[in-house]
Amino acid sequence: MKGRVAIAALACAFLPGLDFSPARAAPAAAGPSLEISVIQATRSDGGASIDPQLRDLPQLTRDQPFVRYNVYRLLDRRQFRLDEGKPVGENLANGRSLQVVLEGVAADAGEKRYRVQAQIGEPGKKAFLRSLEVTASANQPFFVAGQSYDGGTLFLELVIR
Amino acid sequence: MSLSRQTMIELMALADGELDGSARDRAERLVAQNEEARQVVEAIRGSRLGPWLDEAIAARSAAADGIADAVMAKLGAAAAREDGGVVRLAASRRGRGASRKPALVASGAAVVALAAGVALVVRVGHDDATAPAPVASVPAPGPIEGPTVAPSVVAQQSAGPAQGVEVDEIDSPSRGVSVFEIPLRSAAAAAASAGPSSVVIWIDDEPGGK
């Protein structure tokens, strides 16, 4: 527990202004929120296995690049209140940090479209992802994958709720 | 004209340089002694045709120059309209919220090729050569790193409804990037109609990983 607090404190020191606190019990009507799921994917000869908490992702057994793996495990899932211009972040299991900021909201054909920018980095090292800009509607997930971790690969699922 | 037809033929051959030996000597002697023969040879050799030829050639050259000038003028006008040939992103790319998919589709490949200097290639999956390829990918730079040329990618998705997830920019220095488009509906529904789609942005980690 102390180690976890120390890591969070260290990350906050390197990335000032980031909000690593999950959910913060924000009222649902206050605005959009960002749900981040950290998923570990591995390839096993022992048979396929998908975490029951990932049952809402049929893509895992259907589409590339998911079908490269057959074992999926949810490592962490958190929800953050998303305020425009205010970055939120998630400490990843591999020591890196994911930072996401809502850059703007617009209406497209009566539907809200959220423009977010994401970064993945590690203090003192070259950024893994210097900048990713995505525009998405609510409840439409997108994934950032490819980071190696513990014999597998991390899939980060980001959904604006 | 006092010259016979046969003599005229020989003079024409002389003027064209087609005579040799005794026939050439005989024709040259005739030209030297006979004024009419000399005029015929000169006329054939171009002393009289020359000016006409010069005028004709000059006229044709002028016409060709005119065509070239016209073409260059049109090219110049077109270049001026394109702001010196520089391909610019649509202003809407920096806009907030408006659907920028058309601009991205039109300019994405140009930006990748011209600005980032990286190739937009299709790469098959690592494990399954028959698997669907990513929408776009940028291979990681080779082991010899250049002068900090980061693979900044403007990726685009295939045409679809505006409610899909749009990837506007990916900047991941020194790493290979692939973008996979995935349907959010079931496979059958996605095949039947162009439904909402999502993306997987795949970024190659360091060899060996963590």
Side-chain angles (χ1 to χ4, degrees):
Chain A
M1 185 64 183
K2 284 183 179 178
R4 191 181 184 87
V5 172
I7 291 173
L10 190 64
C12 288
F14 280 105
L15 300 168
L18 275 186
D19 182 1
F20 287 89
S21 59
R24 291 202 304 150
S33 63
L34 175 69
E35 183 181 280
I36 301 175
S37 299
V38 182
I39 303 166
Q40 183 193 16
T42 55
R43 183 82 191 173
S44 172
D45 295 332
S49 170
I50 295 180
D51 194 316
Q53 299 176 86
L54 300 174
R55 276 179 298 193
D56 59 339
L57 290 175
Q59 297 89 355
L60 299 185
T61 57
R62 193 183 66 202
D63 300 313
Q64 282 284 354
F66 299 108
V67 294
R68 297 173 183 175
Y69 308 94
N70 61 355
V71 176
Y72 282 90
R73 188 162 63 105
L74 178 65
L75 300 182
D76 194 12
R77 177 174 282 167
R78 299 189 187 193
Q79 198 157 350
F80 301 85
R81 176 175 165 174
L82 208 50
D83 295 319
E84 192 168 332
K86 184 178 180 182
V88 297
E90 167 88 359
N91 292 317
L92 304 177
N94 60 2
R96 291 179 177 138
S97 296
L98 166 66
Q99 175 185 330
V100 182
V101 61
L102 176 63
E103 292 195 324
V105 184
D108 188 359
E111 184 181 33
K112 279 189 175 179
R113 300 280 286 168
Y114 300 92
R115 179 183 170 86
V116 296
Q117 194 252 4
Q119 298 176 355
I120 298 175
E122 189 173 3
K125 294 188 178 179
K126 186 181 288 186
F128 174 77
L129 174 60
R130 190 153 58 189
S131 176
L132 166 66
E133 293 183 9
V134 169
T135 302
S137 300
N139 300 314
Q140 291 185 339
F142 62 94
F143 301 83
V144 180
Q147 297 183 78
S148 301
Y149 173 67
D150 196 19
T153 299
L154 292 181
F155 281 78
L156 308 179
E157 181 197 22
L158 293 87
V159 193
I160 299 169
R161 302 289 188 189
Chain B
M1 182 178 291
S2 60
L3 300 175
S4 67
R5 184 170 178 271
Q6 181 61 35
T7 302
M8 286 294 291
I9 292 173
E10 287 183 357
L11 291 174
M12 291 169 66
L14 176 68
D16 291 339
E18 295 175 350
L19 286 182
D20 53 10
S22 59
R24 176 173 180 153
D25 294 340
R26 186 171 59 250
E28 286 179 345
R29 279 198 301 272
L30 178 61
V31 169
Q33 296 167 2
N34 188 301
E35 178 61 21
E36 188 177 1
R38 186 186 62 81
Q39 290 180 355
V40 168
V41 171
E42 286 182 354
I44 294 172
R45 281 180 173 170
S47 61
R48 294 177 185 174
L49 295 176
W52 178 83
L53 284 175
D54 290 343
E55 289 174 7
I57 291 171
R60 290 191 178 214
S61 298
D65 289 345
I67 293 171
D69 290 344
V71 170
M72 293 306 292
K74 289 204 171 193
L75 288 175
R81 282 196 301 272
E82 293 175 4
D83 197 10
V86 176
V87 177
R88 290 187 170 183
L89 289 174
S92 61
R93 185 182 177 279
R94 279 289 137 202
R96 289 291 185 268
S99 177
R100 283 159 286 132
K101 185 166 291 182
L104 287 171
V105 171
S107 62
V111 170
V112 169
L114 294 176
V118 294
L120 187 65
V121 298
V122 174
R123 189 177 61 178
V124 298
H126 291 282
D127 301 324
D128 186 358
T130 63
V135 175
S137 70
V138 175
I144 301 174
E145 289 200 12
T148 63
V149 179
S152 181
V153 182
V154 176
Q156 77 283 352
Q157 296 169 242
S158 60
Q163 62 265 33
V165 176
E166 295 178 34
V167 178
D168 301 320
E169 187 176 76
I170 306 170
D171 185 358
S172 184
S174 305
R175 299 177 193 278
V177 176
S178 302
V179 179
F180 295 84
E181 184 174 6
I182 54 174
L184 290 180
R185 295 178 180 176
S186 67
S193 63
S197 61
S198 183
V199 293
V200 178
I201 297 104
W202 182 279
I203 304 167
D204 292 337
D205 209 340
E206 293 153 343
K210 296 199 170 203

